């Protein structure tokens, strides 16, 4: 019998880097993911990674959406080995209506790569995603994509990132031309240039090592106009930026910037090599009672995503757990803190490139898919018996609100069950009013209502409509003094609801009214996220 040598936990942790790729739709997230897998050797051909985008043209084609959901399970996590590291990429939905899903996925990563289109610059969705990263101090690397197109001036682009995303930036590569006149990128970090040759399949770079930007060797490779522009740019960059500060990157205060063209495999190696060197390993995580370091020998983890099987005959779901500490072993009994119960997980899957495979063990930073029959919900903690929940998976106030209207009184039970299970999955947020038990659903985008309506009917046989309600924001409330809170609830009883975890929420009708209420009740705290 072969005995495989087991690595100590510390070695396993040092091997792992878990990150997410985020972008405004169409910036090139799917293409970059695929190219990272290609460079990492995890896949052999381009075109293997499917976009999980929901095409607006097929919006009403639910079969297509179902297919898309299938794809997004396959591409939810992609692991690969590179330079003796185990790299886990977590995919995030591109469609902004599912932004909440993206926010949650970001709780499970240790860093992110943000893709920005060099023609469009910083876009709306990028700003929102960056806010979430800033809140958690997640280290961010920027990749400015589509250099093969006539994009904006690179200085203008990095200034825009700094201003709009409110983060200090530092270019680590620099483009030599753009669009038709793209000649290559200069690597400020390793001091070499990578010459551009448009090729979709090329994986070997044309690297020229140089001492610095004044090296005469450059004259052999670049036309004089491109070279003098590069020298001018680099002089300016060297005058503005201090040497790269890795600590500032790791604390989320500085974003290194790379330039490239994902579709032409260009500038990817620079990004990947720097990522593998500087991106953080699994970090300690906060629970209600203590901070758990990954090296803690006891297993712990939290559920950040649930994927349901849409076929009502097979109502199993896959819950994605991020391992935070210790070693996960398939078949072990683990403690479910919220339910105060132990469950055995004999069916556990890991994700390598495009493959799902059963695994026997997993380590901090890894994402494991657990088959679940309805016991797990987003935010749940599993561990070896400690009665303490992981923090940091809050709900954000939705942007759209509608009241659920039951169209078939005979199916109330089914509706109740469907709503509960779909909320556990994070399809939308449900607020139940204290008075009259009115149910209001909150979402980030209109498409979520359609998904909810469709799934309630198809999976639970519950027919609903949604009717408009006048709500601007859901604010989670608390107060130091319980008497003040009770007085507030009494005064505003028509506008008080409970969220899925039974937390108190004030449903504000307008911005100005919320402001007035906040001013009038200064002893009440109003929060736009559920964790405070
Ligand atoms: P997303 O996941 O962020 O939404 O973006 P995705 O990778 O799907 O890319 C969006 C579009 O941008 C695709 O074109 C893709 O080919 C293109 N693209 C990605 N990287 C680059 C790049 O470096 N240069 C250029 N010029 N284009 C790039 P599409 O027409 O929507 O799809 P396809 O038919 O090309 O697949």
């Amino acid at each position: 019998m072969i005995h495989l040598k087991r690595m100590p936990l510390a070695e396993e942790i040092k091997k792992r880097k878990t990150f997410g790729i985020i972008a405004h739709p169409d910036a090139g997230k799917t293409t970059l993911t695929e190219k990272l897998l290609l460079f990492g050797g995890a896949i052999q051909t381009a075109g293997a990674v499917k976009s999980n985008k929901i095409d607006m043209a097929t919006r009403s084609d639910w079969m297509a959406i179902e297919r898309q959901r299938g794809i997004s399970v396959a591409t939810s996590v992609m692991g690969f080995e590179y330079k003796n590291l185990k790299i886990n990429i977590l995919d995030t939905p591109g469609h902004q209506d599912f932004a909440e899903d993206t926010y949650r996925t970001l709780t499970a990563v240790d860093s992110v790569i943000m893709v920005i289109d060099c023609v469009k610059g910083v876009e709306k969705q990028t700003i929102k995603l960056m806010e979430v990263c800033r809140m958690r101090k997640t280290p961010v690397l920027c990749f400015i994509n589509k250099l093969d197109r006539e994009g904006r001036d690179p200085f203008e682009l990095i200034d825009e990132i700094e201003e709009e995303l409110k983060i200090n930036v530092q270019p680590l590569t620099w483009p030599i031309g753009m669009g038709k006149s793209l000649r290559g990128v200069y690597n400020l970090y390793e001091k070499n240039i990578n010459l551009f040759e448009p090729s979709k399949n090329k994986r070997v770079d044309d690297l020229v090592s140089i001492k610095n930007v004044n090296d005469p060797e450059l004259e052999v490779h670049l036309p004089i106009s491109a070279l003098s522009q590069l020298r001018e740019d680099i002089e300016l960059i060297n005058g503005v930026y201090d040497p790269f500060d890795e600590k500032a990157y790791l604390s989320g205060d500085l974003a290194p910037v790379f330039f490239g063209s994902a579709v032409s495999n260009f500038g990817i190696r620079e990004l990947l090599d720097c990522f593998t060197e500087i991106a953080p390993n699994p970090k300690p995580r906060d629970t209600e009672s203590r901070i758990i370091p990954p090296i803690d020998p006891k297993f712990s983890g939290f559920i950040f995503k649930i994927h349901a099987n849409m076929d009502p005959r097979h109502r199993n779901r896959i819950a994605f757990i991020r391992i935070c500490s210790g070693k996960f072993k398939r078949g072990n009994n683990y403690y479910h803190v919220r339910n105060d119960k132990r469950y055995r997980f004999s069916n556990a899957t890991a994700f390598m490139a495009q493959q799902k495979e059963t695994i026997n063990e997993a380590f901090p930073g890894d994402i494991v898919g657990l088959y679940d029959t309805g016991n797990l919900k987003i935010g749940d903690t599993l561990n070896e018996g400690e009665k303490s929940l992981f923090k940091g998976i809050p709900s954000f106030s939705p942007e759209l609100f509608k009241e659920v209207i039951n169209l078939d009184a005979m199916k109330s039970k089914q509706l109740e069950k469907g709503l509960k299970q779909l909320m556990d999955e994070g399809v939308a947020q449900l607020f139940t009013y204290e008075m009259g038990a009115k149910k209001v659903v909150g979402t980030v985008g209109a498409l979520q209502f359609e998904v909810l309506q469709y799934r309630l009917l198809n999976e639970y046989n519950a027919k609903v409509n949604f009717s408009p309600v006048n709500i601007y924001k859901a604010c989670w409330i608390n107060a130091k003094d319980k008497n003040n809170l009770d007085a507030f609830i009494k005064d505003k009883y028509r506008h008080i609801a409970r969220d899925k975890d039974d937390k108190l929420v004030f449903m504000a009708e307008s911005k100005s009214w919320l402001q007035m209420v906040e001013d009038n009740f200064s002893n009440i705290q109003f929060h736009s996220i559920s964790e405070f």
Side-chain angles (χ1 to χ4, degrees):
M1 200 159 88
I2 303 168
H3 287 282
L4 289 176
K5 195 167 170 283
R6 292 269 149 79
M7 272 204 284
L9 182 58
E11 295 290 310
E12 296 285 358
I13 295 167
K14 262 208 313 229
K15 258 188 87 162
R16 279 164 173 79
K17 304 216 168 189
T18 300
F19 75 106
I21 303 190
I22 53 179
H24 190 91
D26 270 349
K29 182 169 65 69
T30 312
T31 316
L32 179 66
T33 306
E34 174 173 285
K35 296 308 165 82
L36 290 173
L37 293 178
L38 204 61
F39 271 77
I43 54 170
Q44 301 311 319
T45 49
V49 176
K50 295 284 175 289
S51 167
N52 73 4
K53 262 186 294 192
I54 291 181
D55 181 356
M56 289 316 272
T58 58
R59 245 182 88 143
S60 54
D61 175 357
W62 292 105
M63 278 315 286
I65 291 195
E66 225 169 305
R67 229 176 293 126
Q68 294 269 8
R69 285 169 46 84
I71 291 168
S72 80
V73 165
T75 60
S76 281
V77 186
M78 284 161 281
F80 67 97
E81 305 249 352
Y82 182 70
K83 290 189 173 172
N84 208 23
L85 291 171
K86 163 95 191 290
I87 299 185
N88 295 313
I89 307 182
L90 270 64
D91 193 23
T92 52
H95 198 289
Q96 61 178 21
D97 283 14
F98 299 112
E100 180 107 26
D101 202 8
T102 301
Y103 303 155
R104 282 190 299 256
T105 300
L106 291 179
T107 62
V109 303
D110 297 300
S111 69
V112 303
I113 292 181
M114 181 172 281
V115 188
I116 291 167
D117 184 327
C118 75
V119 182
K120 295 188 177 146
V122 173
E123 294 173 85
K124 193 170 148 224
Q125 195 65 6
T126 335
I127 298 175
K128 272 192 151 182
L129 292 165
M130 185 62 213
E131 276 168 20
V132 179
C133 294
R134 195 175 318 112
M135 212 171 82
R136 306 209 175 94
K137 296 194 151 297
T138 310
V140 177
L141 281 171
C142 284
F143 183 73
I144 299 188
N145 190 28
K146 307 197 184 181
L147 272 198
D148 56 301
R149 290 204 177 152
E150 307 295 334
R152 308 224 322 253
D153 177 71
F155 282 108
E156 205 184 288
L157 284 166
I158 56 171
D159 281 353
E160 186 173 281
I161 296 177
E162 207 152 55
E163 247 165 61
E164 300 266 338
L165 301 184
K166 300 189 185 73
I167 185 162
N168 294 326
V169 295
Q170 180 154 10
L172 292 188
T173 64
W174 194 253
I176 309 170
M178 240 190 233
K180 280 201 197 78
S181 58
L182 176 65
R183 296 279 179 268
V185 285
Y186 176 61
N187 191 334
L188 290 131
Y189 198 56
E190 288 174 5
K191 297 267 185 326
N192 59 30
I193 55 168
N194 185 2
L195 294 171
F196 178 63
E197 192 191 302
S199 155
K200 292 201 178 185
N201 302 312
K202 196 176 76 126
R203 240 189 292 170
V204 187
D205 288 328
D206 247 339
L207 283 186
V208 181
S209 291
I210 45 170
K211 280 197 213 73
N212 58 44
V213 78
N214 294 319
D215 196 325
E217 171 75 16
L218 279 172
E219 284 154 34
V220 181
H221 302 282
L222 295 175
I224 197 72
S225 59
L227 186 55
S228 51
Q229 180 69 54
L230 174 69
R231 286 181 173 149
E232 217 176 277
D233 288 354
I234 300 303
E235 196 183 320
L236 200 62
I237 291 169
N238 287 339
V240 173
Y241 297 103
D242 295 328
F244 175 57
D245 180 357
E246 207 174 308
K247 271 205 193 116
Y249 157 68
L250 290 173
S251 59
D253 295 317
L254 177 72
V257 178
F258 292 82
F259 288 84
S261 163
V263 87
S264 340
N265 287 339
F266 188 66
I268 313 286
R269 189 196 55 82
E270 286 83 351
L271 174 74
L272 186 58
D273 283 353
C274 182
F275 170 84
T276 48
E277 207 182 308
I278 67 171
N281 296 117
K283 289 193 267 193
R285 299 272 165 167
D286 244 356
T287 70
E288 288 166 334
S289 59
R290 67 181 180 114
I291 294 174
I292 299 189
I295 193 73
D296 193 307
K298 292 220 165 93
F299 157 77
S300 68
F302 63 87
I303 311 288
F304 65 95
K305 184 184 178 94
I306 289 185
H307 219 291
N309 190 337
M310 284 178 85
D311 181 346
R313 285 163 302 169
H314 305 280
R315 212 192 285 286
N316 55 354
R317 321 195 277 186
I318 298 180
F320 291 79
I321 185 168
R322 147 91 198 207
I323 316 267
C324 297
S325 68
K327 176 155 88 173
F328 171 88
K329 279 197 208 149
R330 183 167 71 95
N332 269 15
N333 271 313
Y334 287 119
Y335 178 62
H336 183 293
V337 180
R338 182 177 53 86
N339 288 359
D340 190 24
K341 272 191 184 150
R342 284 188 169 264
Y343 299 107
R344 192 179 142 87
F345 297 96
S346 44
N347 219 331
T349 340
F351 307 83
M352 284 303 280
Q354 297 289 282
Q355 310 285 324
K356 270 199 302 188
E357 53 189 46
T358 301
I359 50 115
N360 291 319
E361 50 185 39
F363 297 91
D366 284 342
I367 309 297
V368 173
L370 303 173
Y371 285 87
D372 167 50
T373 48
N375 297 319
L376 301 175
K377 71 177 184 181
I378 287 172
D380 278 351
T381 299
L382 294 177
N383 60 30
E384 295 193 15
E386 190 171 330
K387 286 190 170 67
S388 185
L389 289 165
F390 277 104
K391 292 205 289 194
I393 311 143
S395 302
F396 294 79
S397 173
E399 285 164 32
L400 305 173
F401 298 87
K402 284 185 180 178
E403 184 180 350
V404 185
I405 308 291
N406 185 2
L407 297 180
D408 184 351
M410 302 295 284
K411 300 275 162 54
S412 301
K413 266 206 168 134
Q414 283 91 327
L415 174 61
E416 196 81 17
K417 184 175 170 195
L419 276 175
K420 187 189 166 302
Q421 292 200 344
L422 296 176
M423 297 307 134
D424 287 354
E425 261 181 56
V427 175
Q429 291 185 57
L430 182 70
F431 301 95
T432 308
Y433 276 70
E434 292 279 83
M435 203 186 82
K438 179 166 89 175
K439 288 183 166 34
V440 166
V441 165
T443 68
V444 177
L447 199 48
Q448 278 171 278
F449 289 112
E450 292 179 39
V451 170
L452 197 58
Q453 193 177 34
Y454 174 83
R455 292 192 57 190
L456 281 171
L457 184 63
N458 281 273
E459 295 168 44
Y460 299 91
N461 208 8
K463 209 170 176 184
V464 298
N465 244 343
F466 292 105
S467 81
V469 281
N470 185 25
I471 297 168
Y472 154 72
K473 205 171 186 180
C475 294
W476 282 266
I477 47 172
N478 71 329
K480 281 204 186 91
D481 184 341
K482 193 178 170 303
N483 293 330
N484 289 337
L485 192 62
D486 289 345
F488 178 75
I489 293 170
K490 204 168 161 202
D491 193 89
K492 295 278 174 275
Y493 67 99
R494 280 172 208 271
H495 307 279
I496 303 293
R498 298 258 177 192
D499 75 358
K500 64 177 186 338
D501 298 321
D502 232 24
K503 286 187 179 158
L504 279 170
V505 183
F506 172 60
M507 309 294 273
E509 285 180 358
S510 71
K511 196 173 178 178
S512 53
W513 187 56
L514 174 62
Q515 187 60 55
M516 205 172 75
V517 174
E518 280 184 290
D519 292 345
N520 291 347
F521 293 86
S522 54
N523 45 21
I524 304 291
Q525 274 92 52
F526 298 81
H527 310 268
S528 55
I529 63 172
S530 66
E531 208 172 70
F532 37 84

